[in-house]
Amino acid sequence: RSTCVASNGAGTYVAAGSGGMVAVSSDGTTWNRIYSNVIPSSCNMVNVVYAQSQFTLSSYSGHVWNSADGLTW
């Protein structure tokens, strides 16, 4: 399993990985998993980035999700 991490430079970190896993941290050490109705557990994430004031997740299947805060997708 691979996990990718992005930060907004202001204390929010978002991690994404296989099985639709998305987690958020304010310190990069303690993580809280985010459960979203729009991200299926069958999706394996390939990347997460922070650009233009939003986090963007992408999956191997080509799906893309955006979030301003890493919590709501």
Side-chain angles (χ1 to χ4, degrees):
R1 290 184 168 179
S2 64
T3 302
C4 42
V5 178
S7 172
N8 65 359
T12 301
Y13 300 83
V14 173
S18 59
M21 189 281 298
V22 178
V24 175
S25 174
S26 61
D27 60 10
T29 302
T30 304
W31 294 88
N32 295 304
R33 183 153 184 189
I34 302 301
Y35 294 92
S36 171
N37 291 334
V38 299
I39 301 174
S41 61
S42 61
C43 281
N44 293 319
M45 302 304 167
V46 66
N47 203 9
V48 58
V49 297
Y50 184 81
Q52 298 180 345
S53 300
Q54 67 181 358
F55 291 96
T56 300
L57 292 173
S58 59
S59 72
Y60 282 102
S61 58
H63 293 90
V64 176
W65 299 271
N66 297 303
S67 173
D69 59 7
L71 300 171
T72 305
W73 294 90

